[in-house]
Amino acid sequence: MAVDKKKRRRADDSSDSDTDGSKSLPHQKRLKADSLILSTLKTLAENTPSTSASKTLTLADLSLSATCREVADLSLSSVQSSIESLILSLAHSILSGRGFAFSVPSRSAANQLYVPELDRIVLKDKTSLRPYASVATVRKTTITTRILQLIHQLCMKNIHVTKRDLFYTDVKLFQDQTQSDTVLDDVSCILGCTRSSLNVIAAEKGVVVGRLIFSDNGDLIDCTKMGMGGKAIPPNIDRVGDMQSDALFILLVEKDAAYMRLAEDRFYNRFPCIIVTAKGQPDVATRLFLRKMKMELKLPVLALVDSDPYGLKILSVYGCGSKNMSYDSANLTTPDIKWLGVRPSDLDKYNIPEQCRLPMTEQDIKTGKDMLEEDFVKKNPGWVEELTLMVKTKQKAEIQALSSFGFQYLSEVYLPLKLQQKDWL
């Protein structure tokens, strides 16, 4: 009986119950006053380098052994002129009896290069011919010609269309939207312009909420008054201007569910911030918008992603660029994003229950090992350590695993404690 009492007393001593008997959330007692956490965030914001203070490095500033190509923002008249010059040269080729072919920059993995000085992936200068007089490439050459024709029409009319609109102009030829989307990127490379310069946009996907005011096509938008759903990120970045904010940081969230939780709890009022998500895979509009916020507002960016290889992959797309669109990485990447969570080491640190951890599949493990071989991962020892731990334990977890302690644990304990401890990589 005495032994039972001792056991009970020890259990009571180690519990998270407050002195008044009410049960607190795990690790909640470690939280300091919000004012102290805000002081930490102010220091982080003040120490974020300003792009105006030092000249931003570009490819032209580096003496790389490999020749690389990058695209630029071009005016509609420039895009129109480039298309007309290209078609004129093809017509000359046909009239001289040589037929015609497009010289298309290769976007294969072998033609990608990670540049540590820029901390992003760029496209090397290898090209391949896409001749019309070849059974293997005739269809893709036809699609390329059709896309060029449609882009020329957009330039003439000065209008924007979605990628879906573009696909439906010739469904029988394109057959599948992935084919028209792929050739659209090829056309950007051929013309040497950003995809935005082609006046083709993706459907609205990303959303933003919090301490941000900006103009959208002349309308003033206050993102603290957009409700729980937030403001849809405009697909055309040219519409966005006059950004103003009193935020101390930008919180980049992978999942819509975590974003909704933070928005409903108005986390941005407790800790002044801007919360943004692309609801999964980063789209071009969200990547452009995030970069614009970072560059104009000079704020640090902290990322909240799932603790799995794909969460880190998504983070790397925002920070270093995607291999698919490496030709435009200068405009699409946001430098110096810090990995706040959920990290593999957090699973034990925050005592995530076993039933909320998922076993990694063989494909997950392979993806994790492949990422360990990537130069942009090797550059960051903290990333290597976390990814190695993930592959070793063969465990992954979603942000929602934190809900096992309560639906508001993410906003009330986990994130405040992370910020307090400066626990980011």
Side-chain angles (χ1 to χ4, degrees), residues 212-224:
L212 175 68
I213 296 174
F214 67 93
S215 66
D216 180 2
N217 209 22
D219 298 326
L220 201 62
I221 307 295
D222 185 345
C223 293
T224 60

Side-chain angles (χ1 to χ4, degrees), residues 138-369:
V138 62
R139 191 167 168 279
K140 209 160 190 180
T141 307
T142 307
I143 293 174
T144 307
T145 311
R146 180 71 168 126
I147 293 285
L148 282 165
Q149 180 200 8
L150 293 168
I151 298 300
H152 189 263
Q153 286 180 22
L154 295 178
C155 294
M156 298 272 286
K157 294 178 181 178
N158 191 15
I159 56 173
H160 291 80
V161 297
T162 64
K163 292 194 293 182
R164 194 70 178 164
D165 287 330
L166 202 71
F167 166 65
Y168 271 107
T169 56
D170 206 331
V171 178
K172 285 187 177 178
L173 173 62
F174 299 144
Q175 294 182 2
D176 185 85
Q177 192 182 326
T178 54
Q179 297 192 39
S180 57
D181 286 355
T182 300
V183 173
L184 185 66
D185 285 326
D186 289 340
V187 166
S188 285
C189 290
I190 292 168
L191 300 177
C193 66
T194 62
R195 205 174 74 189
S196 306
S197 301
L198 303 178
N199 273 19
V200 180
I201 55 178
E204 290 180 348
K205 182 186 174 195
V207 285
V208 61
V209 75
R211 311 288 272 264
L212 175 68
I213 296 174
F214 67 93
S215 66
D216 180 2
N217 209 22
D219 298 326
L220 201 62
I221 307 295
D222 185 345
C223 293
T224 60
K225 298 175 181 175
M226 289 289 115
M228 195 169 72
K231 168 73 173 84
I233 291 173
N236 180 7
I237 197 68
D238 296 334
R239 283 168 35 183
V240 177
D242 303 320
M243 285 187 167
Q244 303 166 42
S245 177
D246 63 348
L248 296 175
F249 65 101
I250 298 165
L251 183 61
L252 175 63
V253 182
E254 176 189 349
K255 293 273 190 71
D256 189 33
Y259 167 88
M260 294 290 278
R261 175 77 275 129
L262 295 168
E264 186 176 29
D265 292 347
R266 296 192 182 272
F267 182 78
Y268 52 83
N269 283 339
R270 183 179 173 190
F271 301 105
C273 65
I274 302 165
I275 307 171
V276 63
T277 182
K279 303 178 184 180
Q281 283 296 331
D283 60 310
V284 170
T286 305
R287 290 165 68 185
L288 287 168
F289 192 82
L290 179 66
R291 178 180 174 83
K292 190 176 180 71
M293 283 196 296
K294 164 81 175 178
M295 295 306 185
E296 291 194 9
L297 302 174
K298 315 292 189 295
L299 292 174
V301 182
L302 305 178
L304 178 68
V305 298
D306 286 341
S307 177
D308 61 24
Y310 307 103
L312 191 55
K313 223 172 188 178
I314 284 171
L315 174 54
S316 71
V317 169
Y318 282 112
C320 308
S322 65
K323 291 183 177 178
N324 188 46
M325 294 191 73
S326 56
Y327 63 89
D328 196 12
S329 64
N331 298 300
L332 293 173
T333 53
T334 302
D336 195 29
I337 298 178
K338 302 183 189 303
W339 186 11
L340 187 64
V342 174
R343 302 205 300 271
S345 57
D346 288 342
L347 304 191
D348 285 339
K349 184 178 177 180
Y350 288 87
N351 310 114
I352 303 296
E354 285 296 325
Q355 67 266 25
C356 296
R357 306 184 191 193
L358 301 169
M360 290 174 70
T361 64
E362 289 301 317
Q363 183 58 45
D364 291 337
I365 295 168
K366 181 182 182 303
T367 303
K369 288 178 177 177

Side-chain angles (χ1 to χ4, degrees), residues 91-103:
H92 280 304
S93 179
I94 294 167
L95 291 171
S96 63
R98 299 194 305 272
F100 80 95
F102 290 105
S103 179

